[in-house]
Amino acid sequence: MAKPDDPYATLGVQRTATQDEIRKAYRKLARQHHPDLNPGDTVAEAAFKKATAANDLLSDPDKRARFDRGEIDASGQEKAAGPSYRDYAQQGAGQRYSRAGAPGGGWNPEDLNDIFGSMFGQGQRRGAPQRGQDEKYALRCAFLDAVNGATQRLTLPDGRTLGVKIPAGTKDGQTLRLRGQGAEGVGGGPAGDALITITTKPHPYFERRGNDIHVTLPVTIAEAVLGGPVQVPTPQGPVKMKIPAGSDSGTELRLRGRGVPAHGKQDAGNLYAKLSVVIGAPDDALKAFLADWTPTDAASPRAAMEDET
């Protein structure tokens, strides 16, 4: 039966668990008990600290091996030294050296391994430095932050925060790499990287297609018929655009360079505004005009549909 302070029991994994299984178990507990998600909950905070301590020990191959051999306790502190050569030399006269607790007998390699292994800390040699593992995270950002670029704070399960610089033109689902912000290296090796997958929130008006931005622009009857300048929203702020006289719903106008900003080797995209004529609430003057108005071109706007039915 595992002790309550056994780090394996704390994380809920077997002693044969792989590093990946240990990491997954810790992340699950960290998300469940993280203080940011349980403000004021002292029980959750204690569970988070306990899980973090267990992960710190088991994620370090050297510490884990020493704990498994009984050389250190769950807190990483040295245990009392094991039996020395005196324990074997002070046995009864004429009795051959043997493993502790076993009946006397002839020498064999296993006897020597047990004696000298306990005396000199067999198996404690450190391996070559190893790079830490990469850690994967997800970050949800605003549409305009991904288009124009921004910096956001990301809180990690262990309580650390990272400043994540989102470059202009970042795409939904793109993964950013923060070098040296992953798991610590082993034996003096370099730390791994943090791999952050960006998820972009949808925008109420803008739609991104490649480096171009599309928007539906409502206009009045007067603006569509008479034309003239109107303000158009863009990711970088509103700009004026001239609507040609006689424009209709569905007319698409282009603003060069007003899409996704230039980034890397990519040129700036364009903004495409599709006009949508909005009638609104007609006043008496408009009603009177339309009642007496006879259009020069009386062709039905539904003629094409009628031909197909």
Side-chain angles (χ1 to χ4, degrees):
M1 181 68 69
K3 296 180 180 179
D5 60 350
D6 186 330
Y8 293 100
T10 298
L11 297 182
V13 297
Q14 300 293 325
R15 287 185 171 269
T16 56
T18 64
Q19 285 296 319
D20 188 55
E21 291 171 336
I22 289 172
R23 185 170 58 257
K24 288 180 179 178
Y26 170 64
R27 286 181 177 175
K28 180 179 178 181
L29 292 173
R31 285 194 296 268
Q32 180 181 353
H33 300 297
H34 197 284
D36 288 351
L37 303 178
N38 302 275
D41 189 336
T42 56
V43 174
E45 182 178 359
F48 175 76
K49 291 180 178 179
K50 187 175 181 181
T52 299
N55 179 67
D56 288 344
L57 189 146
L58 296 184
S59 62
D60 184 322
D62 182 60
K63 289 182 179 179
R64 180 181 180 183
R66 296 191 65 199
F67 175 80
D68 289 344
R69 292 194 299 267
E71 298 168 5
I72 59 176
D73 59 22
S75 66
Q77 298 298 314
E78 296 282 347
K79 286 189 174 181
S84 70
Y85 75 94
R86 295 182 183 276
D87 296 322
Y88 300 97
Q90 293 175 355
Q91 296 186 51
Q95 187 175 3
R96 294 175 177 173
Y97 291 176
S98 64
R99 286 174 288 164
W107 291 98
N108 61 63
E110 191 174 359
D111 293 332
L112 294 174
N113 287 340
D114 282 351
I115 295 174
F116 293 106
S118 62
M119 288 171 58
F120 302 113
Q122 179 183 15
Q124 294 186 41
R125 292 176 296 174
R126 291 178 176 270
Q130 298 180 16
R131 179 181 179 276
Q133 294 186 346
D134 293 339
E135 301 282 2
K136 296 182 179 180
Y137 303 102
L139 180 62
R140 189 171 171 83
C141 73
F143 180 93
L144 293 181
D145 285 346
V147 170
N148 296 322
T151 298
Q152 286 191 210
R153 304 298 299 179
L154 175 64
T155 301
L156 306 184
D158 61 3
R160 291 186 299 137
T161 60
L162 295 179
V164 182
K165 184 177 180 181
I166 303 171
T170 297
K171 297 179 180 179
D172 183 55
Q174 183 174 337
T175 298
L176 306 179
R177 181 183 293 271
L178 272 62
R179 299 195 178 278
Q181 296 298 330
E184 293 184 0
V186 178
D193 299 336
L195 305 179
I196 303 172
T197 300
I198 302 297
T199 301
T200 304
K201 301 176 186 177
H203 194 274
Y205 309 121
F206 296 132
E207 177 187 355
R208 180 175 176 178
R209 302 177 193 173
N211 286 330
D212 295 329
I213 299 294
H214 292 253
V215 62
T216 298
L217 182 67
V219 294
T220 65
I221 293 178
E223 290 169 335
V225 173
L226 303 176
V230 297
Q231 273 202 335
V232 181
T234 77
Q236 295 78 38
V239 298
K240 283 190 176 182
M241 179 182 70
K242 184 178 181 180
I243 297 178
S247 295
D248 208 343
S249 282
T251 300
E252 194 167 64
L253 305 177
R254 179 178 63 185
L255 287 173
R256 290 184 179 275
R258 291 292 181 170
V260 178
H263 56 281
K265 297 182 179 180
Q266 300 285 324
D267 294 331
N270 302 319
L271 182 135
Y272 293 90
K274 180 181 288 187
L275 304 184
S276 175
V277 178
V278 178
I279 297 175
D283 56 19
D284 292 339
L286 178 59
K287 291 178 181 179
F289 168 76
L290 292 176
D292 296 334
W293 176 53
T294 301
T296 303
D297 181 5
S300 171
R302 298 173 294 279
M305 298 174 64
E306 293 168 354
D307 291 342
E308 295 293 331
T309 58

